C-alpha cells in the first residue's frame, strides 16, 4: 500500500550547494536541509555528506546537473524491446572511447519506426558512481537512483504542475545554475532534447525598460534579443558612462540574452530538425529575480506560455531549480 512505502532521501548537488529532501514516492516531499557542497566530484563533498542525518539503510536518490553526464544520441535498426539493453550496449561500444564497462548508463527511447530506433544515453564514469555510492553507504544510505536534474524537474512537473505538463504537446524545461543551464524538451513520455550549456550566471540587477516589439522574421536573431552592439547613439553612450551599474547591467543583460537564445535554438531544433510538432509551454527554474526577467523576455519574444517552477516546495532557502530537482528526485519512485 502507498502508506507502507519506505521513505526515500533525495539529494541534489548543483556544483555549489546540496539540497536534501525526503518523501515516499508520489507522496508529500519535505525539505531536510541545504548546505554548501562545492563541486560535483565525490572527493570534494566529504563535508556535505558528513552533515547528512544517518540513513539507517534508507534508499537515496541523487540528482546532478545535466552537464555532469555524457549525453549520447544513438540511432540503429529497431530490435525487440527485450533486446534493447544488449543493442544499446553494443552501440555504445562502437561510439565511446575506452570500455563501456567504465561507465554506468541509462537510456530513454525517443522514437521508433520500421527503419530506426533513436535513444538518448546518459553516462557517468563508473568510478564517480562508486565513489558516491561508497560515501552514501558510509552514512547509512543505499544509492538506488541517479539521474540528471532535468529528469527530476520533469518528474516534479508531472506530479505537482499537471496544468503545465501535456501528454500530447511538448514542454521546454530550463534550470538555471551558477555555472550552467540545463534544457530539456519533454514530449509525451520521451525527452528528445536534453542539453547543458556552460553559462556563468550574473547577479540580477534592475534593467531599464525598453521596447522589444520587432518582428522576428525581419531582424537578425542577435539583434532581436539585444545582442547587437551596433546602432547605439551618442546619447545612450553618455548615459551608460554615468550609470555606476552599467557594467553589471550589461553583463546581466548578455546573460539573459544568451539563455533566451539557447531556448530559441532548442525550440527550433525540436520543431524544424526533429519535426516533432510545436512547443506548448516553457517552465523556468532558478533565482526568482532572474526567472522573472527571463519570463518577461521569453513571453515577449515567443508566442508560447511561460511558467515558473515554485520556490517554496521544500520550505528551505532554495532557488526554484534547487527545490524542484531535489523534490523531483524522490517523486515517481
Amino acid at each position: 500500500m502507498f502508506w507502507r512505502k519506505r521513505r526515500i532521501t533525495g539529494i541534489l548537488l548543483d556544483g555549489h550547494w546540496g539540497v536534501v529532501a525526503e518523501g515516499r514516492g508520489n507522496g508529500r516531499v519535505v525539505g531536510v536541509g541545504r548546505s554548501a557542497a562545492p563541486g560535483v566530484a565525490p572527493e570534494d563533498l566529504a563535508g556535505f555528506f558528513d552533515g547528512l542525518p544517518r540513513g539507517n539503510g534508507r534508499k537515496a536518490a541523487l540528482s546532478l546537473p545535466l552537464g555532469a553526464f555524457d549525453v549520447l544520441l544513438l540511432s540503429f535498426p529497431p530490435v525487440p524491446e527485450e533486446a534493447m539493453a544488449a543493442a544499446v550496449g553494443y552501440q555504445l561500444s562502437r561510439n565511446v572511447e575506452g570500455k563501456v564497462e567504465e561507465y554506468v548508463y541509462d537510456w530513454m527511447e525517443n522514437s521508433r519506426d520500421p527503419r530506426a530506433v533513436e535513444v538518448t544515453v546518459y553516462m557517468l564514469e563508473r568510478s564517480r558512481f562508486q565513489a558516491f555510492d561508497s560515501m552514501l553507504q558510509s552514512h547509512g544510505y543505499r544509492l538506488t537512483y541517479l539521474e540528471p536534474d532535468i529528469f527530476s524537474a520533469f518528474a516534479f512537473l508531472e506530479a505537482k504542475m499537471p496544468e503545465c505538463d501535456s501528454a500530447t504537446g511538448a514542454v521546454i524545461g530550463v534550470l538555471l545554475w551558477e555555472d550552467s543551464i540545463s534544457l530539456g524538451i519533454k514530449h509525451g513520455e520521451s525527452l528528445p532534447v536534453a542539453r547543458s550549456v556552460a553559462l556563468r550566471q550574473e547577479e540580477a540587477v534592475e534593467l531599464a525598460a525598453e521596447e522589444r516589439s520587432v518582428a522576428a522574421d525581419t531582424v537578425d536573431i542577435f539583434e532581436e534579443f539585444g545582442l547587437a552592439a551596433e546602432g547605439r547613439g551618442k546619447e545612450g553612450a553618455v548615459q551608460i558612462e554615468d550609470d555606476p551599474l552599467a557594467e553589471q547591467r550589461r553583463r546581466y543583460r548578455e546573460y539573459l540574452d544568451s539563455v533566451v537564445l539557447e531556448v530559441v535554438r532548442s525550440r527550433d531544433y525540436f520543431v524544424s530538425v526533429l519535426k516533432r510538432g510545436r512547443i506548448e509551454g516553457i517552465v523556468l527554474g532558478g533565482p526568482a529575480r532572474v526567472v522573472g526577467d527571463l519570463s518577461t523576455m521569453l513571453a515577449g519574444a515567443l508566442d508560447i506560455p511561460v511558467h515558473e517552477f515554485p520556490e517554496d516546495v521544500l520550505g528551505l532557502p532554495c532557488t526554484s531549480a534547487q527545490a524542484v530537482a531535489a523534490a523531483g528526485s524522490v517523486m515517481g519512485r
Side-chain angles (χ1 to χ4, degrees):
M1 299 295 289
F2 169 76
W3 55 84
R4 292 179 181 173
K5 282 187 176 182
R6 296 191 64 181
R7 294 183 71 84
I8 300 172
T9 295
I11 302 171
L12 163 76
L13 299 172
D14 70 4
H16 295 269
W17 297 94
V19 179
V20 184
E22 288 184 354
R24 288 185 172 90
N26 286 327
R28 180 169 174 261
V29 179
V30 298
V32 175
R34 172 182 181 266
S35 58
V40 291
E43 60 270 18
D44 298 328
L45 298 168
F48 168 77
F49 284 109
D50 287 342
L52 292 176
R54 291 294 302 176
N56 298 320
R58 184 177 301 167
K59 294 180 179 180
L62 181 61
S63 182
L64 301 175
L66 184 58
F69 296 82
D70 292 321
V71 181
L72 189 62
L73 183 64
L74 298 176
S75 178
F76 48 89
V79 298
E81 291 293 336
E82 60 271 20
M84 279 293 291
V88 170
Y90 173 72
Q91 294 294 328
L92 282 178
S93 69
R94 301 177 59 191
N95 287 276
V96 301
E97 295 183 5
K99 298 179 179 179
V100 175
E101 292 76 19
E102 295 174 352
Y103 299 90
V104 294
Y105 61 89
D106 202 355
W107 71 89
M108 173 172 283
E109 184 174 314
N110 297 324
S111 65
R112 177 185 287 261
D113 62 34
R115 295 172 300 174
V117 58
E118 290 189 353
V119 301
T120 304
V121 184
Y122 301 86
M123 308 170 61
L124 187 74
E125 296 92 338
R126 183 174 296 275
S127 60
R128 294 184 67 186
F129 173 83
Q130 291 173 337
F132 282 127
D133 187 35
S134 176
M135 296 182 79
L136 283 165
Q137 282 190 41
S138 68
H139 293 83
Y141 295 89
R142 292 181 291 124
L143 180 54
T144 311
Y145 309 102
L146 171 68
E147 66 185 8
D149 53 356
I150 201 69
F151 279 81
S152 302
F154 279 130
F156 180 91
L157 186 78
E158 184 175 345
K160 298 297 185 181
M161 300 174 68
E163 71 281 3
C164 301
D165 193 17
S166 173
T168 56
V171 179
I172 300 179
V174 184
L175 300 178
L176 309 174
W177 306 117
E178 293 188 36
D179 302 309
S180 67
I181 62 173
S182 297
L183 302 99
I185 299 182
K186 183 176 184 290
H187 187 220
E189 297 301 318
S190 69
L191 203 72
V193 177
R195 305 174 55 221
S196 175
V197 182
L199 281 178
R200 177 67 181 173
Q201 193 175 116
E202 295 292 338
E203 182 179 357
V205 293
E206 186 175 357
L207 295 176
E210 59 183 56
E211 293 295 329
R212 303 178 59 79
S213 57
V214 184
D217 59 350
T218 61
V219 183
D220 177 82
I221 191 168
F222 286 94
E223 181 180 348
E224 180 188 0
F225 293 121
L227 294 177
E230 299 176 359
R232 293 180 180 174
K234 184 176 182 180
E235 181 180 352
V238 173
Q239 290 177 348
I240 290 176
E241 290 177 359
D242 293 340
D243 182 359
L245 295 178
E247 181 61 20
Q248 285 180 262
R249 294 184 203 280
R250 182 190 65 79
R251 292 199 307 268
Y252 179 52
R253 178 52 187 268
E254 287 184 351
Y255 171 75
L256 296 179
D257 288 333
S258 296
V259 176
V260 172
L261 187 58
E262 295 303 333
V263 173
V264 171
R265 285 172 171 164
S266 300
R267 179 205 62 177
D268 290 349
Y269 177 75
F270 179 84
V271 172
S272 301
V273 178
L274 296 182
K275 301 185 185 303
R276 298 288 291 271
R278 59 169 284 137
I279 300 295
E280 301 292 342
I282 302 172
V283 189
L284 306 174
R289 177 62 182 278
V290 182
V291 166
D293 287 339
L294 276 173
S295 295
T296 300
M297 293 175 67
L298 286 167
L302 303 174
D303 186 23
I304 302 172
V306 181
H307 310 276
E308 299 177 11
F309 282 116
E311 284 188 311
D312 57 356
V313 294
L314 296 179
L316 299 173
C318 297
T319 70
S320 57
Q322 292 170 335
V324 301
S329 68
V330 176
M331 294 178 176
R333 305 302 184 188

